[in-house]
Amino acid sequence: LKTLGMQDPVILVFQKNPVAGSGDAFLQGDCAGKEECASDLTLGVFETGISDAIDALYGVFEHFMPFPLVIALLLIGLLVLFRGASVEGRSRVKDYAAAFAVALLSLKFGYYLWSFAAGIVKFFTDLIWAALVDFGVQPDLFLYMLWGNGAGYDNAVSVKSLGVALIVVAAALMIVILNYQYIVRKIMLMVLIVLFPVTCVLAVFPRFRHSLQIWWDEFISNMILPAAHALALGLFFLMLRFLDAGMSLWVIIVYFFALPMIANMVRKLVGAQESGG
C-alpha cells in the first residue's frame, strides 16, 4: 500500500478514515488526518485539480454546442414546413422536438442529476457504515478488521502457516484490483463528464438517439460502484462479527477474489455492457 500509493479498501469504499489522527503509516493521499475523505471532492470522486481540468475541457465543448443545436432546430423547422401535413411527418416532428427538449434540459440540469446520484451513493455507504457501528463492528483499516487490531493482528501475521499465507495473498490481490477498479472508475467518469455536452447534442439526431441512454448507463454503473462494494464489505464484516466459530478459510479466500467481480454485476443491473476482465 505504502510503496504503490494505494488506499486501504475501507477508506476506498466508504470514503471514511477510521484511524483519523493516529498517523497510521498505511494511509495515503489527502485522506490522512481527516475523518471524511470525500468532503473536499467534487461529486465525491474528483480532487480540485482534476475537477478544474474537467471543467476547462467541458467548457470548450459547451462553447461550440449551440451550432449543432441551431442546425437541429432548422431541420425541425424544415420538417414542419414540408412534412407537417402528414401523420408520419407530425410524428417525426414530435420525435425531434422531444429529443431537442431533452438535450436542452440535460445541458441545463445535468450537474444536478450527477450531484443527486453522488448523494444517493454517499447516503447508502454512510447507512451501511452506521449499521456496522450499531451492530458492534469496530471500524478500522481492512487488515485490522480481518484479524483484530493490536495483538490480534500481530499474532495472526506471525503464524507461519499456509492458511495465513493464502489469506494474505488473496487480500493483497483484492486490494490491488480494487484500487485499479477505482482508478479506472475515476478516469471513466472524467471522460463521460467531458463528453456529456457532445452526447446531449448527438442524441437530438435519430442516428445517435441511443447515445444519451448509453451515457447514463455508463455513468450510473461507475458512480454506484462504491455502494455495491460497501454492501459486500459490510456483509463480510458482519459475518466476522457474528460467526462465533470463525469464518472458514475457504470462504474468506473466495470472498476476496469475488469482491472485485461486483463491478460487472452492477453494470448488468443498470443495463451497461460488461467491462473487461
Side-chain angles (χ1 to χ4, degrees):
L1 287 175
K2 188 174 181 180
T3 302
L4 299 179
M6 295 186 295
Q7 288 283 13
D8 185 86
V10 174
I11 297 175
L12 195 65
V13 172
F14 292 98
Q15 287 294 305
K16 294 181 182 296
N17 183 1
V19 292
S22 66
D24 196 285
F26 287 119
L27 298 184
Q28 302 290 333
D30 298 332
C31 197
K34 296 192 303 184
E35 293 184 2
E36 291 288 340
C37 300
S39 57
D40 299 328
L41 302 180
T42 303
L43 299 177
V45 180
F46 305 116
E47 296 84 356
T48 302
I50 295 178
S51 62
D52 290 342
I54 293 173
D55 186 60
L57 200 52
Y58 183 95
V60 172
F61 285 125
E62 191 178 39
H63 180 73
F64 291 98
M65 287 307 101
F67 299 104
L69 285 176
V70 169
I71 294 174
L73 192 60
L74 290 173
L75 290 175
I76 295 175
L78 291 173
L79 193 60
V80 172
L81 181 62
F82 293 107
R83 302 290 297 277
S86 65
V87 175
E88 181 184 357
R90 287 195 297 270
S91 177
R92 293 185 63 182
V93 168
K94 290 179 181 179
D95 187 44
Y96 268 106
F100 189 82
V102 168
L104 287 180
L105 291 174
S106 298
L107 286 171
K108 181 65 176 177
F109 300 107
Y111 177 77
Y112 301 102
L113 294 176
W114 309 339
S115 300
F116 177 74
I120 292 295
V121 172
K122 181 70 166 59
F123 172 79
F124 191 79
T125 55
D126 287 349
L127 185 66
I128 295 177
W129 184 269
L132 292 176
V133 175
D134 289 342
F135 285 106
V137 176
Q138 180 60 42
D140 208 325
L141 297 179
F142 180 74
L143 291 180
Y144 291 152
M145 293 186 72
L146 180 62
W147 278 302
N149 206 338
Y153 174 76
D154 294 334
N155 292 336
V157 296
S158 65
V159 175
K160 302 298 188 291
S161 72
L162 180 61
V164 173
L166 289 174
I167 291 177
V168 171
V169 171
L173 290 174
M174 184 208 69
I175 292 172
V176 171
I177 295 172
L178 283 183
N179 274 268
Y180 169 80
Q181 286 183 341
Y182 277 77
I183 292 296
V184 172
R185 170 181 179 255
K186 182 179 294 187
I187 295 172
M188 290 297 294
L189 288 173
M190 288 169 55
V191 174
L192 286 169
I193 291 176
V194 168
L195 291 178
F196 183 70
V198 178
T199 305
C200 289
V201 173
L202 285 176
V204 176
F205 303 95
R207 176 67 178 82
F208 306 101
R209 193 61 53 81
H210 62 285
S211 299
L212 196 57
Q213 181 62 48
I214 293 176
W215 189 96
W216 278 110
D217 290 344
E218 291 291 334
F219 179 82
I220 295 298
S221 65
N222 282 283
M223 182 60 74
I224 67 174
L225 184 61
H229 283 151
L231 178 62
L233 279 179
L235 287 171
F236 180 73
F237 294 144
L238 287 172
M239 284 193 295
L240 290 176
R241 168 73 174 81
F242 290 119
L243 286 176
D244 296 330
M247 192 181 299
S248 165
L249 168 67
W250 176 244
V251 173
I252 293 176
I253 294 175
V254 173
Y255 207 103
F256 286 168
F257 281 109
L259 190 62
M261 296 168 60
I262 290 178
N264 276 333
M265 184 191 72
V266 170
R267 297 180 67 83
K268 285 184 178 179
L269 289 175
V270 299
Q273 294 182 355
E274 292 188 35
S275 59

